[in-house]
Amino acid sequence: MTDIVNGLGRTTAYGALGIVLLILGIVLVDVLTPGRLGRLIWEERNRNASVLLSSALLGIGGIVFTSIWTTYDDFAKGLVSTAAFGMLGLLLMAVAFLVVDLVTPGRLGATLVEPEPHPAVWVTAACNLAVAAVVSASIA
């Protein structure tokens, strides 16, 4: 019974941390793109913004999953490493976004929230997932 209670406590802690990291991912995408992300997706039904945000959330989720899956036996150390790798993933996604913005014409953030579908959103989404895969693979 103690194992179950322990497991529930750890799951709650990792789940809360995962939710915080996902919220930070939403904030990051909102900061990098013009307009209010919530309004763009839920009111204006902007597909570009939803694909971009979805890729960031899937990427962070993958990093958190990998970090938990390969976690240390020490719960506190595992929780800290999950937070650290999650934050690093967010930072690297932001850097990758800014690099893509530098090497492509126009303002990437504005392009990605245009009402008409734009191929740049798929490139940026793939970049998010690729960065998350690199971070996930580096977790030992």
Side-chain angles (χ1 to χ4, degrees), residues 17-69:
L17 176 58
I19 289 169
V20 167
L21 289 167
L22 291 172
I23 290 168
L24 289 174
I26 293 168
V27 170
L28 177 66
V29 173
D30 202 13
V31 166
L32 291 172
T33 55
R36 297 288 306 148
L37 195 57
R39 186 170 60 265
L40 284 167
I41 294 172
W42 280 271
E43 293 176 17
E44 297 177 21
R45 299 176 183 264
N46 185 299
R47 290 185 181 119
N48 291 331
S50 64
V51 169
L52 180 63
L53 179 59
S54 296
S55 70
L57 295 175
L58 286 169
I60 291 301
I63 292 168
V64 170
F65 170 84
T66 304
S67 187
I68 293 169
W69 188 263

Side-chain angles (χ1 to χ4, degrees), residues 4 12 16 20 31 66 77 80 83 85 88 96 101 106-107 131 140:
I4 293 172
T12 301
V20 167
V31 166
T66 304
K77 190 174 179 181
V80 169
F85 282 109
L88 179 60
D101 190 22
R107 300 296 308 158
V131 167

Side-chain angles (χ1 to χ4, degrees), residues 4-18:
I4 293 172
V5 172
N6 240 353
L8 288 171
R10 289 173 186 237
T11 300
T12 301
Y14 279 117
L17 176 58

